[in-house]
Each structure stands twice: as structure tokens, then as C-alpha cells.
Amino acid sequence: MNTSVSLSENMNSFEKGNGFFPDDVVDQILARLPIKSLFRFKCVCKFWYRLPSNKYFIQLYNEISLRNPMVLVEILKSVYIKSNFICTDSLSCFSEFSLDFLSDRVKVRASCNGLLCCASIPNRGVYYVCNPMTREFRMLPSRERPVSRYHPDDEATLVGLAVDPYTQKYNVVLAGFYRPFGRRPLDCLVCVVFNSETNTWKRFISSAGDGFTHMNRNQVVFASGSLHWLTISCLYILVLDLYSEVWKKIPLPGEIVNSYGRGNRIYLLELEGAVSVIQISADWMSIWVLKDYVREEWLLADRVSLRCIKAFIPSAFPISQNRDFVFLATQRQILIYGRRNKVWKELYSVRTATAYPLWFSAHAFRSTLFSCRQNLEYC
């Protein structure tokens, strides 16, 4: 009798849009399913049919997903053929999909909390934000192009995507350099920011700037309400505060700065909501975390021996991580390192001879029910 009353109250709570009780066992089980399986089970009953659109369940699913990072790999067979994507997690669970629902040839420019920012290849200046798991997408509105020597509308030097799973809002940042006429040689940074809440772009100019290689300009991390890029000098991180619209710099740890250029490589990643830097040398991989964001204090979180994968060290590229695992992409393999059991494992390997290097097309990813559509109202 008590069980039926509890179930009835739970159903009434769902009908009113208040969600489920946090200790609901079914809720916790379904929140750990892949999105494809979750949508397949919608035909079981009306109760489960409404589940993926319930606000409480979306928040629960996203919170669980934040603790389970994944790696998204774009399989580039040819520049004339649309790419396929493979997504894998620490349990070697694979899911394959494409971006054909965009009806456009695109390339992925940024990834954040389950959403992708894609740039159209045939149509310059056209950008999309999509959730590849739910196949929802949003084409960003066109922008007024200012009359200047350079504007970051066609092909931005820096592209950033900031997705806040708690407020259900996101921002897209396009930034590029230009040199004003009639002035001394000074590169200014032109930046346009898209706000999903207002559906508008905002443009501003800053004198802060630095050089970026092709790889580190694509390593963008969203943390503490800011977007972060690693500069080519590897002396500091360039930060864009999305609230104050101000650029600033965070210096890297002194140990990294002093040893850079001696065969060491630096990579910028995210570690469970914090900014992280990974340094790879000939035999070691050091993981640093920005412990205090205000005081700019770094902490050496882990130091991993690379003797077991010595043949892959020259092409090892860290992609994603959490407190338990580190995902790395090489020329043809996706590797995972268990920080607790200290075991290396191969998750994926390319067998074809025409494939591009995986580290060139791998992105950090999470499975999420976050919707990128405009004016979406939850049940």
C-alpha cells in the first residue's frame, strides 16, 4: 500500500513538472544509459516517453555525464566525403554517428559539455551549434561585417564554445587579429560573442594578443565562466572572461616555463571544472591543475611514467581526462591511462591506410541532453 502511494505521488510530481525524487532508483538507472538507448525506451510507456524532456531528469543526466568524459574522433577519409564520428568512453563503449542532419559540409571547431560548434566549409561565416546525440542543432544568426582590414567572421583564429549545463545557456566566441592602418605594428584582437539567451552577437576590440599554433588554438577550455587558450610561447594562458568581456593572462607554473623548449610539449585540458595543463617529456607526463583561480596557484596533481608507451610518445596528444582516467590520441590509436590502477589500454585503432592522424580530429566530449534550440520550454 505504501509503495503504491509513493508511486502515485511520484507520478503526480512528474505530471506537474517538478521532476522525480532524488532517490528514485529508476531515475538513477535511466540517467546512466546512452542517449540512443534512452530514446529507444521512450516507447515503453507515457511516463518514460516524457522522461528525456523533464527538467529534473535533464539536470540529473547532465550531472552524471560530467563525471564521465569521452573522446570524440572524427574519421576523415577524404576532403570530399562527409566525415563519420566515433565516440568512446573509459568502458570501451562505442557509438557512431554523423552530422548529416545539418545538411551541410562542416568541420568541428570547438566542443564543450556535449555540444559542438561547427563551421560550414562551403559557406564562409556560417556556424552551427549542435548536440550530435539528440540531433538537435541551431544555425547561428548572421553578423554585420564591419569595414576594416580584418574581421573574424569568415575564418576566426580562435573559436570557443562555452556551455553551462546548469543555466542551460551557451556562448560562441570568434576572435581574430588585425593590424590597424596608420598605426604602429600592433596586433589587436577583434572578438564577437554570441549569446544563446538573447540570440545576438556582441563585438569588442582588445589589444591583448599572442601567437597561436594550429593545434593549441583549437585547445580551448571553459572553466570558471571564462574561455582559456594556450599561447605559442607556453608562458601563460590567454583568458577571456565572458561576464566582464575582458582578456587577461594566467602564468603557467614556473617548472613548466623553465623546462619548456627542452623536448617538452604542453597541452591545455579541463579537469572536472578546473583548468589543467599536461606536460609531456621523453619519459614522464605531468598533470597540473589550477587549484586557486584567483591567486593563480598551480598544483602538481599527478606524474605518470611513459615507459610503457615509449613508441607512442612522439605522437601522444592528451584529449580528455578526469580524476580516474586520461585519454590520449596518437597517429592511429586512442589510448587510456588509469590513474588509480596505473594501467594503459588501447580503446580504438584505425586500420585504413588513408586516415588522417587521430590527434588532429579528436575532441573532448560528454553525452548530454542539453538542447541548443532557441526558446525551448521544458515540460
Side-chain angles (χ1 to χ4, degrees):
M1 187 67 177
N2 294 335
T3 303
S4 62
V5 172
S6 176
L7 180 60
S8 176
E9 292 177 352
N10 203 2
M11 291 287 289
N12 293 334
S13 177
F14 176 79
E15 294 293 338
K16 294 178 182 179
N18 297 325
F20 301 103
F21 293 116
D23 57 348
D24 191 348
V25 177
V26 176
D27 212 18
Q28 295 290 336
I29 294 175
L30 295 179
R32 286 165 170 79
L33 290 178
I35 290 182
K36 289 186 177 180
S37 301
L38 183 64
F39 277 69
R40 189 181 301 120
F41 293 153
K42 290 175 64 176
C43 61
V44 173
C45 60
K46 292 182 179 180
F47 185 67
W48 286 17
Y49 181 83
R50 299 182 182 181
L51 191 64
S53 59
N54 179 263
K55 186 176 181 179
Y56 166 75
F57 183 80
I58 291 176
Q59 293 177 348
L60 176 63
Y61 191 96
N62 294 340
E63 288 177 0
I64 295 176
S65 177
L66 290 176
R67 300 192 294 266
N68 298 286
M70 309 170 73
V71 172
L72 178 70
V73 182
E74 183 179 4
I75 307 301
L76 301 170
K77 298 180 180 179
S78 171
V79 294
Y80 304 103
I81 302 176
K82 289 186 177 180
S83 305
N84 291 327
F85 294 83
I86 293 177
C87 193
T88 181
D89 59 11
S90 59
L91 300 177
S92 301
C93 296
F94 286 88
S95 60
E96 187 174 353
F97 61 88
S98 68
L99 298 179
D100 292 341
F101 59 90
L102 295 177
S103 300
D104 196 356
R105 288 180 60 240
V106 298
K107 60 179 178 180
V108 178
R109 293 299 308 269
S111 172
C112 182
N113 290 332
L115 296 189
L116 302 178
C117 179
C118 305
S120 174
I121 296 176
N123 303 309
R124 286 185 172 272
V126 176
Y127 287 84
Y128 301 88
V129 174
C130 68
N131 186 334
M133 297 288 101
T134 61
R135 299 177 65 87
E136 294 180 350
F137 72 94
R138 179 178 181 178
M139 186 172 71
L140 302 186
S142 59
R143 303 171 301 282
E144 295 182 1
R145 299 184 177 182
V147 180
S148 62
R149 183 177 180 181
Y150 178 81
H151 51 82
D153 290 349
D154 291 343
E155 188 66 21
T157 303
L158 304 178
V159 177
L161 176 63
V163 179
D164 191 335
Y166 302 103
T167 62
Q168 301 289 301
K169 302 175 184 177
Y170 61 88
N171 297 95
V172 176
V173 175
L174 309 178
F177 297 97
Y178 84 103
R179 182 166 296 176
F181 288 108
R183 300 183 182 180
R184 62 179 182 177
L186 176 64
D187 287 334
C188 295
L189 195 59
V190 180
C191 185
V192 288
V193 181
F194 172 78
N195 190 319
S196 63
E197 188 176 21
T198 61
N199 195 39
T200 58
W201 293 89
K202 187 174 182 180
R203 180 177 182 267
F204 60 95
I205 300 178
S206 174
S207 59
D210 204 320
F212 298 88
T213 65
H214 180 74
M215 293 307 300
N216 67 12
R217 73 185 186 191
N218 292 326
Q219 296 180 71
V220 54
V221 170
F222 173 63
S224 302
S226 302
L227 288 171
H228 306 74
W229 286 271
L230 184 65
T231 61
I232 190 174
S233 62
C234 289
L235 297 177
Y236 56 85
I237 297 173
L238 188 63
V239 184
L240 173 60
D241 191 324
L242 295 173
Y243 298 106
S244 61
E245 298 179 349
V246 173
W247 292 88
K248 63 179 182 180
K249 300 176 181 179
I250 296 179
L252 291 178
E255 182 177 330
I256 293 181
V257 175
N258 296 333
S259 62
Y260 181 70
R262 304 174 185 174
N264 299 330
R265 307 194 308 272
I266 312 298
Y267 303 93
L268 181 66
L269 274 76
E270 181 260 351
L271 179 58
E272 298 185 351
V275 179
S276 175
V277 173
I278 292 184
Q279 180 185 31
I280 293 183
S281 61
D283 299 308
W284 296 94
M285 178 174 67
S286 302
I287 303 176
W288 296 80
V289 181
L290 189 57
K291 180 180 179 181
D292 193 321
Y293 198 86
V294 178
R295 297 181 180 180
E296 302 177 351
E297 295 180 354
W298 293 88
L299 172 68
L300 181 60
D302 203 352
R303 187 172 170 85
V304 181
S305 174
L306 300 179
R307 289 177 296 178
C308 295
I309 60 166
K310 199 170 187 65
F312 300 110
I313 293 178
S315 61
F317 196 107
I319 301 298
S320 179
Q321 64 174 337
N322 64 1
R323 66 181 65 183
D324 298 321
F325 302 100
V326 180
F327 296 87
L328 298 97
T330 66
Q331 185 81 10
R332 295 181 176 275
Q333 293 84 15
I334 297 295
L335 306 178
I336 184 174
Y337 172 76
R339 297 177 60 183
R340 295 183 183 274
N341 56 18
K342 303 185 184 302
V343 174
W344 290 92
K345 181 180 177 182
E346 181 182 287
L347 295 179
Y348 176 76
S349 179
V350 176
R351 304 302 177 186
T352 59
T354 58
Y356 286 85
L358 292 184
W359 47 260
F360 185 78
S361 58
H363 304 271
F365 189 72
R366 292 185 176 96
S367 181
T368 179
L369 289 174
F370 191 103
S371 177
C372 54
R373 293 182 301 178
Q374 185 179 6
N375 298 327
L376 178 66
E377 295 182 0
Y378 297 102
C379 300

